[in-house]
Amino acid sequence: MACRDQAIDRGLDLRDFGTRVTAEDLEWVRKALQIERWNVYGESYGTTVAMTLVALHPDTVRTVVLDSIYPPDPVPLWSTTVNDARDAFFANCARDNVCSTSFPDLAEIYQETLARLAQKPLLVTVPPQMRQPDDRVMLTASLFEALVANLLYYPTAYPNLPRVNPICS
């Protein structure tokens, strides 16, 4: 809500955002480039934009490629997809001897971390490339959830996910 309020305070019209608006922007680009029919590639959320573009302007799309973990229809809420992926990760850890020995109840540790961060966010040092004041950021419960959710996209990061927990380290 704070982000929404800031956008409105800056004079932004929230009706200028959304999947349909993005698809119409792409249609404007197609016309500006004088392309009669084009090939569309959508990745992740871009698949939703691509499908909307095809639905709104089917005669302008020659081919469409959808590349995403999301099923095309109906698109589940992002939070549902992330929750399912996170639960699958925790279940995988519980079945893996090394992970389950090191982190006997990773799902519970995760929930406890969220509760603690909700009560008292943690000030953490971050790399200078993140360009944060004093190279620090306040790690809140929602930021921690987003961090874990984003790491779930990268299977090579899985061995390090349990170590992301700042409360346990």
Side-chain angles (χ1 to χ4, degrees), residues 3-15:
C3 179
R4 175 190 166 279
D5 293 344
Q6 284 179 2
I8 291 170
D9 289 345
R10 291 180 181 168
L12 297 175
D13 185 344
L14 299 184
R15 293 173 295 185

Side-chain angles (χ1 to χ4, degrees), residues 7 9 11 15-16 27 47 52 68 71 74 129 138 141 150 154 165:
D9 289 345
R15 293 173 295 185
D16 291 337
E27 175 60 8
T47 61
T52 303
S68 179
Q129 300 90 311
M138 190 63 65
N150 285 320
Y154 304 98
N165 185 343

Side-chain angles (χ1 to χ4, degrees), residues 44-55:
S44 192
Y45 165 71
T47 61
T48 302
V49 174
M51 288 186 293
T52 303
L53 183 65
V54 171

Side-chain angles (χ1 to χ4, degrees), residues 23-69:
E24 291 298 354
D25 287 347
L26 288 170
E27 175 60 8
W28 180 88
V29 169
R30 183 194 64 77
K31 287 179 180 177
L33 295 174
Q34 300 178 343
I35 298 171
E36 186 176 332
R37 295 178 72 219
W38 59 359
N39 303 310
V40 177
Y41 174 81
E43 182 177 346
S44 192
Y45 165 71
T47 61
T48 302
V49 174
M51 288 186 293
T52 303
L53 183 65
V54 171
L56 294 173
H57 304 284
D59 296 335
T60 67
V61 178
R62 182 183 304 118
T63 63
V64 63
V65 174
L66 306 175
D67 181 6
S68 179
I69 62 170

